[in-house]
Amino acid sequence: MKVLGVDPGPTTHGAVVYDTVERRVVWSSGKATFNEVDCAHLDHGCDLAVIERPSVMGALGPGIIGHLLDTAWTAGELSVVLGMDGPPVETMTRREVLRHLGVLSGKGNADSRVRAACIEDHQTPGGRPAIGRKASPGPLYGVSSHAWQALGLVLAYLNKEGQNNEE
């Protein structure tokens, strides 16, 4: 199964296409446009799209409110467009992502904890590195910037569904 994960922003988005069978990222962009995200799910034949649903966490200043509203609007647009001509669309809040990755609290900011959880999930003792290098890429090679948050979103969704399937 291929899953498209999108961490929306007001104008650009972190996005990944993750192959659950091969357990690797097949496409990623830390600053994808709306059209690039739409094309990625078509080009890679995604079976599911997961979009982060903006929600309020902590104190909001005047500038943050506008940013949050713009991001929420864009996330809604992405949900509609992807759902019309593509796979089913699911959403998760940032807090749900952090909880299902097991990094709701800890050292560092939330972004760094998500990145670390993604790497740890794909690291094998004595095996090749999760990221790797150009000459010997790992399963997460090429993921950068906001694409880490999109990957964390996909992995959190898969963790959540795995827990639900076991119950």
Side-chain angles (χ1 to χ4, degrees):
M1 175 167 81
K2 290 185 182 166
V3 182
L4 171 68
V6 183
D7 175 29
T11 55
T12 61
H13 322 289
V16 297
V17 174
Y18 184 78
D19 187 323
T20 61
V21 175
E22 295 184 21
R23 286 190 38 82
R24 71 179 189 93
V25 173
V26 295
W27 176 85
S28 73
S29 175
K31 294 186 185 266
T33 64
F34 195 95
N35 288 337
E36 288 171 330
V37 171
D38 192 28
C39 289
H41 93 276
L42 294 171
D43 292 347
H44 295 283
C46 294
D47 303 297
L48 176 70
V50 185
I51 301 173
E52 185 175 307
R53 186 176 68 247
S55 64
V56 178
M57 288 176 57
L60 293 176
I64 303 222
I65 293 172
H67 179 80
L68 183 65
L69 291 174
D70 290 345
T71 300
W73 182 268
T74 302
E77 285 181 315
L78 280 167
S79 295
V80 169
V81 169
L82 293 175
M84 282 177 29
D85 61 351
V89 176
E90 298 288 338
T91 64
M92 289 181 79
T93 65
R94 175 72 162 183
R95 189 168 190 78
E96 290 173 312
V97 170
L98 296 173
R99 185 175 63 244
H100 287 288
L101 289 178
V103 295
L104 193 54
S105 62
K107 289 190 176 187
N109 65 29
D111 287 355
S112 65
R113 293 194 311 267
V114 168
R115 182 180 185 276
C118 292
I119 292 170
E120 184 180 326
D121 188 57
H122 287 79
Q123 199 72 32
T124 53
R128 68 181 186 177
I131 299 171
R133 301 184 185 281
K134 187 175 183 178
S136 59
L140 306 183
Y141 181 76
V143 178
S144 65
S145 184
H146 294 281
W148 284 109
Q149 305 316 306
L151 176 59
L153 175 66
V154 170
L155 297 178
Y157 180 81
L158 295 172
N159 286 345
K160 178 181 119 180
E161 290 304 302
Q163 291 170 1
N164 288 343
N165 291 339
E166 292 172 5
E167 292 176 350

